Amino acid sequence: MVGGKTGTAQVAAVKGKMIKSEDLPYNIRDHAWFVAFAPVDDHRSSWRAMVEHGGHGGSAAAPIVKAVMQEFFRTRAVGPPRKEGG
């Protein structure tokens, strides 16, 4: 199981009506980020991605981390949890 958190880092304040991120000029779109670790019960690895002016973490940064994690776990055997203190 994987644990993670998405987020956005605001670049500019836009006053007035709600505007979709993709409708804003590129240079004032929010930055997107995602951080993940696995396995949840005995995390040994962590990954993070930040997409400059990417908009939302879930739609821009998380898919990047997912692809990296899939390749990581595809190429490595995942053993049993480590023992306490070891």
Side-chain angles (χ1 to χ4, degrees):
M1 192 176 330
V2 174
K5 178 68 178 123
T6 61
T8 57
Q10 187 176 9
V11 173
V14 179
K15 296 184 179 193
K17 62 182 180 175
M18 293 292 293
I19 301 172
K20 292 181 180 179
S21 181
E22 57 270 11
D23 293 337
L24 290 171
Y26 176 79
N27 64 330
I28 64 169
R29 292 180 188 169
D30 295 338
H31 302 313
W33 59 267
F34 181 66
V35 177
F37 61 93
V40 169
D41 57 349
D42 184 31
H43 51 279
R44 301 177 192 186
S45 300
S46 63
W47 302 267
R48 63 217 52 65
M50 182 172 174
V51 181
E52 196 171 34
H53 305 296
H56 303 285
S59 58
I64 295 168
V65 172
K66 178 183 177 184
V68 171
M69 290 175 68
Q70 286 175 326
E71 183 64 14
F72 177 84
F73 287 115
R74 186 186 71 76
T75 60
R76 288 168 181 77
V78 178
R82 293 177 291 195
K83 292 182 180 177
E84 206 51 46

